[in-house]
Amino acid sequence: MKDQQDIPVASSHRQRPSRSGGRAGRITARAIDRQQKTGYAGVTGGTYQPLSEQDIHRIHATALDVLEKIGIGDPTPEILEYALPKGCLLSDDGRLRFPRALVEDVLARVPKKFDCYAPDPKHDHQLEGSRIYTGTSGESVSILDYETQQYRPSTLTDIYDAARLTDQLEHIHAFYQPFIATEYSQALYVHDINVAYAALSGTSKSISISTIHAEHVDALVGLFDLYVGCEGGFIKRPFCTIGGCPIISPLRFGKENTEVMVRCAELGIKYGNACAPQSGATSPAALAGTLVQCFAESLACLVVMHLIRSDAKLIFGMWPFISDLRTGGFSGGSGEAALVAAAAVQMGNYYDLVQSIPSGMTDSKTMDAQAGYEKALTTTAVALAGGNHLCAYPGTVGSLMGLSFEGMLIDNDMLGNILRLVRGIEVNDETLSFDVIQDTVFGTGHYLNHQQTLQLMQSEYLYPRLADRRASGEWEDSGSPDIYQAAREKVKQLLASHYPGYIKPDVDARIREKFPIKLDPLDKKPGNGRW
Amino acid sequence: MTQEVNETEEDIILAELADDELVEQMHDDLYDGLADEIAEGTQILLDRDWGPDKVLEKALVSGMNIVGVDFRDGILFIPEVLQTANAMKAGMAILSPLLAEIGAEPVGKMVIGTVKGDIHDIGKNLAGMMMEGAGFEVIDLGVNTLVEDYITALNEHKPDILGMSALLTTTMPYMKVVIDELKSQGMRDDLIVMVGGAPLNEEFRKAIGADTYCRDAATAVEVAKKMVGERRAIAT
Amino acid sequence: MSESPNFSPTAGTYRREGGSAARRARRKLSCTGNAVQPGMHSGSYKPLSERDIQRIHDTALDILTKIGIGDPLPEILHYALPKGCILGEDNRLRFPRSLIEDLIAISAKQYMLYAPDPRNDFEVGGERVYFTSAGEAVSILDYDTQKFRPTKLVDLYDAARLADQLEHIHSFGQPFIAADYSHDLYIHDINIAYAELAGTSKSFALGIAMVAHIEPIIALFDTYLGEEGAFLKRPFCTFGGCPIVSPLRFGKENAEVLVKVAELGLVGDIAVAPQAGATAPAALAGTLAQSFAETLACMAVVNLVKPGSAINFGMWPFISDLRTGAFTGGSGEEALIMAAAAQLCNHYGFITSVASGMTDAKTMDAQAGYEKAITTTAAALAGGNLISTYPGIVGSLLGQSFEGMVIDNDMLGNIQRLVRGIEVTDETLSFSVIEDTVFGSGHYLNHPQTLKLMQSEYVYPDIGDRRTTGDWQDNGQETIYQLAHDKVKSLLSGYYPEYIKPDTDSRIREHFPIKLELEDMQVGNGRW
Ligand code: B12
């Protein structure tokens, strides 16, 4: 509490010489403490290790066999141009095979950490080791409409609103395009530009956009340069990552996405590959086999990026998916999904790669108890395993098909709990508390008003925003609301008020001059009728 | 599971079973996905002077009905259903040429493909294989299928059904491109156009002018059988 | 399967085993396949470093030697003083370091937890994980009114019947009290024993606070078994409570039970639950040190009574919400500290008993889901042997929901799958399967490996919804809660196991004041 002296105290009625503090001081202190919760960004995982060393080596060795003997099909001309001179082989069956030594070499050389910039530098962070940052992730096609509570196709304003929400949620550290602006599905240039614009309008956290057109990457850079205010400005602090699925499992390159990846490597833009083979459908039903294939596929991306540019930044994305073999459907919320993703994280960490990992992809269609437990168990597993960029899919429901704003808020609390878990327990002379125990046993008999309790009550404990911890009676008296209802009120409150002016009017005008911006300026102000 | 079945396999000599017992055994064998046994049984029935159309109807198609029911009830899992489809295919391989010879109508024919720009094929593969399981002949055009490729295949194979799959909002509208082209080439009315994929819905089907939207592969099989039947009834 | 040959309905000839009927029968036998089993090996999550463990251990021993445990009962002193424990003038019992270390060494590291039905017996030890329900809530979300009301004896019987059918709840700890008999604890205790015995054949536990009730309950079990002394040979029930009043004092009644149980050679079942910030330090490490010391003291007691005693090492550090001082069971801190406790206790080979699933949500909403999942995932991955997962318990341990039990059962299945981990062998690495597929059909859906593994590699939820969005929309847009609500009815309306045979039942009723009406134990009781 000492270092609050310089904090401007909320205005009190009467100016009098006084000790800093009192009620006003406390209120300020609490507000600051709330912000300090963002201190949970970047906690270190890695305490959960589902695989043994030997397992890791065997998966590694088999993946290298796969790359050497089976290779990746349908390499694009750009890839061949970069890969063949470096010793990759194109065989008669049109598959690109990667020599072992090359892959090992690349694994040893790729950058092991890099900065993840944000439009506002206070949200910059460094991706490395087993430090964790969370983000929204995409790309759903529908939203559980706030008013009707029915699914409807997602739109551009929804993306803008999701960005504004993320901006205010302390346990979601980055904004990755959570859904599609379906009204522009047929105009992909307009689509991609507007998604970027909507994201930048709504949040100052690090963003990510998905595009399947390599030319759009250049266009986006142009947009970002305007936003930053100088040509070449973006690439100095690239606050946007491009993401996609360059691999079509099993073991083939997908043309458009691969072109995007190659373009990002050339330009020096961070690229996140999501290699998502689905066990039993596009990868083996044996989870170990799925890991092998998924690792091989992601390594292929890593090698390609590296051959193009040795400082290329790939967020290594092993995203092993699970099928429900009763129907063949995709199941995102299962125990198997949690397990195989955590194992993937461990693989990535073993080679010290900067990686992304999905979680929270519940199969429930609504934010019910199933959504809660599926999101929690998958996210807990991967967070403890220490995946750097945790695509936790806050608010996403229905096996990635839809998103709920209420869910984003609920998940924000859940992510807080999980990050707290990951942070772990600091064990030292002071925290072991022998003296505190002794004091108490021979003193008051309880710790509630012990000095240590006062000192630690905010730093050792995290307080949720919405999660109900009231006594049952109090809860009943207030109408027995479930967390969904609490979230509904809060969504309204957060979205009705937060219209940040991240894009300054003059910049906005310049952007609108050059790009087909569709987000109505009126929709970016209070009183738009939406909230 | 298959092991247990195999243990007793030696005990049964299909050729020694009476017709009705053999048919019943074939129903079970279909169910258990025993392709060799189905081929054998099919041949035995043919040798006993059953017409290919009767074999198809009595031994195979009616045997598959229970498969659909048990899949729906969660008794059979998808890999098992695909085994049954495989067994069905083994029978069909023998029957198809014979059916053609006698001019009997085959169950039906389908051309299927994931549309241009889209590489999602798990659902499309499933739908295709389930259709094969029901006795349809399926021509799979793979992924990223251009309108020209659809047209070429339709002209070549003259199917009853055109199936299109799309998983992306960005590629779904391409189905309309294909349908419009069918119309302009005067082919639309010769075909049942069936569409599927996670983001689709009934509304979208109407908007693009397809005949049916099927949420899953099992429904697709039911609907396909029904619609092909109806069309034939009208035709005659 | 092979004992029941399949007859062709038309002719009398043998047919091959198989077809729909056989498959249906088989799926019914193993609805979730064999992907998970009770007692899977765990421990791959280690929140503490070796050094952390050593330091917590040292501090705990310091606490036991220097601060000791207050209010020791005469029974405890009787066993403890001759072995070198010291009673201070402050009436605190101090345990010498070397004594504790000796007792740690001799305390049972592996033992059987029997069940009424031997098929449900299991051996605890190592880092094998079992899930149990636990108590003792006082209210229940009434099935019909969906409002909380006090729990009744008949609810306990119903809860036992429900748990009996939920495969991921491996043993049944009394989830709530029978509030209708709380005015007469003898009747209460006898009847909860009867209700659990009548409803489940899984191993079960009773929270008994009166040492005098143990012998009558054992007599009841002997009557059930038909032979005096039979229960003690295969004790299928544990008696337990909270023998420690934190910080660092014995609680009289529960400590008496602990001593008695040890004297009888039964497994001690305890929960030592100091609450960080209230009855333990706000520093989590300090709470670990204190609760480890407290649990060690209980372990010492039973081993002083009888060397080599078995005790479920119930180190249950709880968390306060320091805004209000209330207990918060669903917090991230709770998940963390419980997992640390599991790791710590496993380090010494104890049979680690920890708690999870103690959500603060009042209803089975998304909060309940995520709080239960985070805490249970952490505890299970850390290798807790007996995890009281509180299936269906909401409201910070105050209320029971039957719907919640069914929902949690699915969750527990998923978590078990996570615990099982990934087998890495030549076969599972699947190189040749991948090769086959890439150069063959291009997908794995009908590869023989997929067929072979579809049930052993994957767990399928019972009610967990995995339908497509469209399917869900067209079918009433039910939440998991609604699905669970229907499932509870279907599980409870027809399932009245006759674990207590009628003649045994009359003998029991002759000798004991059984309040559970026979009409309530059969179909048509109007309850379901
Ligand atoms: C697996 C998957 C992938 C795999 C595909 C592997 C493969 N070989 O198919 C990979 C990782 C490669 C992938 C890539 C991409 N994906 Co994808 N993918 C999925 C995922 C998770 C599951 C799809 C699936 O296979 N399900 C299982 C099958 C069995 O279900 P199904 O396809 O729905 O099929 C059933 C029915 O629909 C029906 N059916 C299907 N087709 C047909 C056809 C007929 C005729 C009939 C009758 C019935 C029928 O029967 C089937 C069985 O019952 C979905 C999310 C989801 N829940 O659907 C996202 C999803 C479809 N993908 C998505 C995206 C964005 C992409 C990418 C564009 C990502 C990127 N930026 O690169 C790329 C696509 C690139 C491209 N050009 O196509 C989005 C779609 C957004 C949108 N715009 O519409 C989704 C919704 C996920 C998300 N939220 O991000 N994806």
Side-chain angles (χ1 to χ4, degrees), chain A residues 138-141 180 210 243-245 247-249 257 276 278 282 321 328-330 399-401, chain B residues 110 112 117-124 126-127 163-165 167-169 194-198 214-217 220:
Chain A
E139 306 142 42
S140 305
V141 295
I180 305 286
S210 177
C245 304
I247 293 285
I248 302 175
S249 303
N257 272 295
Q278 199 178 301
T282 55
F321 278 8
F330 160 64
S399 311
L400 298 188
M401 296 305 288
Chain B
M110 179 188 212
I112 192 171
D118 202 321
I119 55 78
H120 292 87
D121 66 358
I122 302 176
K124 182 265 298 168
L126 267 178
M164 291 189 278
S165 179
L167 268 278
L168 298 173
T169 48
M194 185 174 236
V195 295
C214 297
R215 189 173 289 149
D216 57 55

Side-chain angles (χ1 to χ4, degrees), chain A residues 452-513:
Chain A
Q452 188 200 48
T453 307
L454 206 63
Q455 190 200 330
L456 294 184
M457 64 185 191
Q458 300 237 183
S459 57
E460 191 80 326
Y461 301 91
L462 181 69
Y463 300 93
R465 283 204 192 189
L466 293 178
D468 199 307
R469 291 185 177 174
R470 292 174 293 178
S472 317
E474 206 183 325
W475 170 77
E476 271 173 354
D477 290 348
S478 70
S480 309
D482 62 11
I483 194 162
Y484 194 78
Q485 283 165 265
R488 280 186 66 68
E489 284 166 32
K490 195 78 189 173
V491 166
K492 186 107 187 179
Q493 189 188 327
L494 292 179
L495 285 181
S497 58
H498 184 64
Y499 290 93
Y502 291 136
I503 304 184
K504 299 272 163 300
D506 53 331
V507 175
D508 196 82
R510 243 169 286 142
I511 292 177
R512 286 178 188 266
E513 210 168 282

Side-chain angles (χ1 to χ4, degrees), chain A residues 47-51 55 58-59 62 65-66 69-70 93 95 97 149-151 250-251 279-289 291-293 322-326 328 331 333-336 338-340 343 363-370 372-373 376-377 380-381 384 398 401 410 413-414 417-418 420-421 424-429 431-434 436-438 440-442 445-448 452-453 456-457 460-464 467-472 475-476 482-483, chain C residues 44-48 51-52 55-56 59 62-63 66-67 90 92 94 148 247-248 276-286 288-290 319-323 325 328 330-333 335-337 340 360-367 369-371 373-374 377-378 381 398 407 410-411 414-415 417-418 421-426 428-431 433-435 437-439 442-445 449-450 453-454 457-461 464-469 472-473 477 479-480:
Chain A
T47 44
Y48 164 44
Q49 306 195 331
L51 301 170
D55 293 344
R58 300 202 59 188
I59 292 166
T62 315
D65 276 348
V66 167
K69 297 181 186 151
I70 303 177
D93 54 9
R95 303 185 69 83
R97 287 166 162 86
Q149 290 294 305
Q150 297 290 321
Y151 281 104
L251 298 158
S279 71
T282 55
S283 63
L287 297 184
L291 279 173
V292 164
Q293 183 185 309
I322 298 293
S323 303
D324 184 314
L325 287 173
R326 291 175 303 189
S331 160
S334 56
E336 293 84 1
L339 174 59
V340 76
D363 300 314
S364 178
K365 266 53 79 182
T366 171
M367 284 301 301
D368 59 2
Q370 180 187 345
Y373 78 69
L377 75 95
T380 302
L384 288 175
M401 296 305 288
I410 296 172
D413 266 2
M414 176 194 78
N417 276 0
I418 293 173
R420 177 65 191 91
L421 171 66
I425 297 176
E426 292 81 26
V427 179
N428 55 46
D429 276 342
T431 61
L432 282 164
S433 315
F434 182 85
V436 177
I437 296 172
Q438 197 161 33
T440 305
V441 168
F442 298 111
H446 66 83
Y447 297 79
L448 282 165
Q452 188 200 48
T453 307
L456 294 184
M457 64 185 191
E460 191 80 326
Y461 301 91
L462 181 69
Y463 300 93
D468 199 307
R469 291 185 177 174
R470 292 174 293 178
S472 317
W475 170 77
E476 271 173 354
D482 62 11
I483 194 162
Chain C
S44 42
Y45 164 43
K46 299 199 186 312
L48 300 171
R51 193 184 141 275
D52 292 344
R55 299 216 55 192
I56 293 167
T59 309
D62 271 352
I63 292 171
K66 299 184 186 149
I67 304 177
D90 52 7
R92 302 188 68 82
R94 291 178 169 81
F148 281 110
L248 298 159
T279 55
L284 298 185
L288 280 175
Q290 180 187 310
I319 299 294
S320 307
D321 183 315
L322 287 172
R323 291 173 304 188
T328 159
S331 55
E333 291 84 3
L336 173 59
I337 201 166
D360 303 314
K362 284 8 136 216
T363 172
M364 283 302 298
D365 60 1
Q367 180 188 348
Y370 79 69
E371 291 187 343
I374 295 173
T377 302
L381 289 177
L398 287 172
I407 296 172
D410 269 353
M411 176 191 78
N414 275 327
I415 292 176
R417 180 63 192 89
L418 179 59
I422 297 174
E423 293 78 26
V424 179
T425 64
D426 276 341
T428 61
L429 285 163
S430 312
F431 181 84
V433 177
I434 297 174
E435 205 173 29
T437 304
V438 168
F439 298 110
H443 64 82
Y444 298 79
L445 284 164
Q449 189 201 47
T450 308
L453 295 184
M454 65 185 193
E457 192 79 331
Y458 302 89
V459 181
Y460 298 94
D465 195 323
R466 292 187 179 172
R467 290 173 296 178
T468 62
T469 311
W472 175 80
Q473 278 173 320
Q477 311 204 355
T479 63
I480 192 82

Side-chain angles (χ1 to χ4, degrees), chain B residues 14-166:
Chain B
L14 291 178
E16 290 176 359
L17 297 179
D19 281 6
D20 56 344
E21 284 176 0
L22 176 58
V23 165
E24 240 171 282
Q25 182 61 54
M26 283 176 70
H27 289 175
D28 277 3
D29 288 352
L30 257 182
Y31 190 97
D32 290 324
L34 306 177
D36 293 347
E37 285 74 1
I38 288 299
E40 188 189 338
T42 303
Q43 197 55 57
I44 294 170
L45 287 175
L46 290 170
D47 294 345
R48 291 183 189 169
D49 285 337
W50 281 42
D53 45 349
K54 186 173 165 199
V55 179
L56 174 65
E57 188 45 45
K58 291 249 149 62
L60 300 185
V61 171
S62 57
M64 285 302 281
N65 289 340
I66 185 72
V67 170
V69 172
D70 279 8
F71 175 60
R72 193 197 52 219
D73 291 355
I75 303 296
L76 284 179
F77 288 22
I78 207 69
E80 293 171 320
V81 173
L82 298 181
Q83 290 291 106
T84 71
N86 215 28
M88 182 76 180
K89 242 173 117 177
M92 288 306 292
I94 300 174
L95 292 180
S96 291
L98 302 175
L99 286 168
E101 262 171 43
I102 63 162
E105 280 208 274
V107 178
K109 207 191 248 189
M110 179 188 212
V111 162
I112 192 171
T114 300
V115 299
K116 178 178 170 232
D118 202 321
I119 55 78
H120 292 87
D121 66 358
I122 302 176
K124 182 265 298 168
N125 289 341
L126 267 178
M129 287 185 287
M130 299 273 280
M131 292 290 286
E132 283 183 334
F136 283 83
E137 187 187 339
V138 175
I139 296 102
D140 186 347
L141 307 180
V143 298
N144 206 358
T145 313
L146 306 181
V147 61
E148 304 86 277
D149 301 340
Y150 280 114
I151 302 288
T152 313
L154 294 175
N155 282 325
E156 183 185 340
H157 298 286
K158 303 260 176 280
D160 305 271
I161 304 173
L162 167 63
M164 291 189 278
S165 179

Side-chain angles (χ1 to χ4, degrees), chain A residues 63-340:
Chain A
L64 265 54
D65 276 348
V66 167
L67 285 174
E68 195 167 50
K69 297 181 186 151
I70 303 177
I72 309 283
D74 302 343
T76 58
E78 295 88 345
I79 291 189
L80 293 179
E81 184 192 318
Y82 289 109
L84 295 180
K86 301 286 169 59
C88 292
L89 304 168
L90 183 68
S91 38
D92 294 345
D93 54 9
R95 303 185 69 83
L96 188 66
R97 287 166 162 86
F98 297 78
R100 268 196 132 68
L102 175 69
V103 180
E104 299 272 19
D105 195 49
V106 168
L107 261 179
R109 283 163 189 269
V110 291
K112 300 295 156 61
K113 61 169 139 184
F114 39 82
D115 290 313
C116 190
Y117 295 104
D120 183 337
K122 80 171 184 240
H123 294 302
D124 286 357
H125 50 262
Q126 197 165 53
L127 293 169
E128 64 178 322
S130 43
R131 299 183 66 182
I132 300 170
Y133 298 87
T134 67
T136 54
S137 201
E139 306 142 42
S140 305
V141 295
S142 53
I143 180 165
L144 210 54
D145 186 87
Y146 184 80
E147 299 299 338
T148 66
Q149 290 294 305
Q150 297 290 321
Y151 281 104
R152 63 160 170 80
S154 49
T155 64
L156 185 60
T157 40
D158 295 328
I159 297 181
Y160 169 63
D161 287 344
R164 291 191 298 131
L165 210 46
T166 302
D167 209 44
Q168 302 175 77
L169 297 176
E170 66 272 31
H171 301 303
I172 304 177
H173 309 128
F175 183 70
Y176 284 18
Q177 177 189 346
F179 31 45
I180 305 286
T182 53
E183 72 269 44
Y184 300 110
S185 291
Q186 286 317 290
L188 286 184
Y189 176 71
V190 173
H191 181 272
D192 294 351
I193 290 294
N194 276 280
V195 169
Y197 177 84
L200 283 179
S201 304
T203 184
S204 65
K205 295 182 180 178
S206 184
I207 64 173
S208 170
I209 306 291
S210 177
T211 177
I212 53 167
H213 289 294
E215 320 86 76
H216 295 182
V217 176
D218 295 85
L220 286 169
V221 171
L223 173 74
F224 296 147
D225 277 351
L226 278 186
Y227 172 81
V228 178
C230 71
E231 202 166 321
F234 168 69
I235 211 70
K236 287 188 204 132
R237 289 187 77 257
F239 49 71
C240 175
T241 307
I242 304 291
C245 304
I247 293 285
I248 302 175
S249 303
L251 298 158
R252 283 186 298 132
F253 285 112
K255 185 168 175 303
E256 289 87 359
N257 272 295
T258 304
E259 287 166 1
V260 171
M261 174 171 77
V262 168
R263 188 67 192 136
C264 287
E266 289 169 348
L267 292 174
I269 296 177
K270 245 187 313 111
Y271 182 77
N273 70 301
C275 285
Q278 199 178 301
S279 71
T282 55
S283 63
L287 297 184
T290 287
L291 279 173
V292 164
Q293 183 185 309
C294 190
F295 190 49
E297 291 171 338
S298 302
L299 281 176
C301 297
L302 189 73
V303 171
V304 166
M305 291 275 291
H306 185 78
L307 292 183
I308 295 171
R309 193 168 156 161
S310 64
D311 64 346
K313 296 185 181 68
L314 178 77
I315 304 188
F316 193 75
M318 280 176 79
W319 287 34
F321 278 8
I322 298 293
S323 303
D324 184 314
L325 287 173
R326 291 175 303 189
T327 61
F330 160 64
S331 160
S334 56
E336 293 84 1
L339 174 59
V340 76

Side-chain angles (χ1 to χ4, degrees), chain C residues 337-359:
Chain C
I337 201 166
M338 223 36 114
Q343 185 195 354
L344 180 67
C345 304
N346 275 350
H347 186 81
Y348 298 97
F350 294 127
I351 302 308
T352 305
S353 152
V354 288
S356 74
M358 308 180 286
T359 184

